[in-house]
Amino acid sequence: MRLVVPDANIREPADPCSGARAFRYAHPEAAFEVLADGAVLAAGALPEGRAEKAFSIDLGSDRQPTVCVMSLDVPASVDLSDAELMIGEHGPVPIEPNPALDDVPEAVLR
């Protein structure tokens, strides 16, 4: 499962990252839970993320606006339809399939 932290921080794509600015709570080691109907489906600690370009246009520089993407360890057997993500006391954030990535389950912080 992907967690997208749209912090628009300036860094090189593929650099290690964690949530910046308003998303500082989404940092490595922060506790998370995946919930559905009040039941905990999965839990753990956030891993370090990897920066991905925020825009698909070439800005002509190695450093550019990025989002931080973390891969959360959620067993494939867990049904994520109607599930939500909590990071500590922050959330819930809906988990939805990303059609651009073959419907990989994804939560996007807002």
Side-chain angles (χ1 to χ4, degrees), residues 55-77:
F55 309 108
S56 59
I57 58 174
D58 182 7
L59 298 176
S61 173
D62 290 340
R63 293 173 48 85
Q64 53 194 286
T66 61
V67 297
C68 186
V69 178
M70 298 175 181
S71 295
L72 305 187
D73 240 355
V74 175
S77 60

Side-chain angles (χ1 to χ4, degrees), residues 22-60:
F23 303 107
R24 282 186 225 146
Y25 64 90
H27 58 81
E29 306 296 323
F32 77 86
E33 291 182 327
V34 175
L35 307 167
D37 296 322
V40 176
L41 304 178
L46 294 180
E48 183 173 70
R50 291 279 170 223
E52 293 184 7
K53 290 170 130 184
F55 309 108
S56 59
I57 58 174
D58 182 7
L59 298 176

Side-chain angles (χ1 to χ4, degrees), residues 2 97-104 106:
R2 285 169 45 101
N98 182 331
L101 297 173
D102 294 329
D103 292 330
V104 168
E106 181 176 85

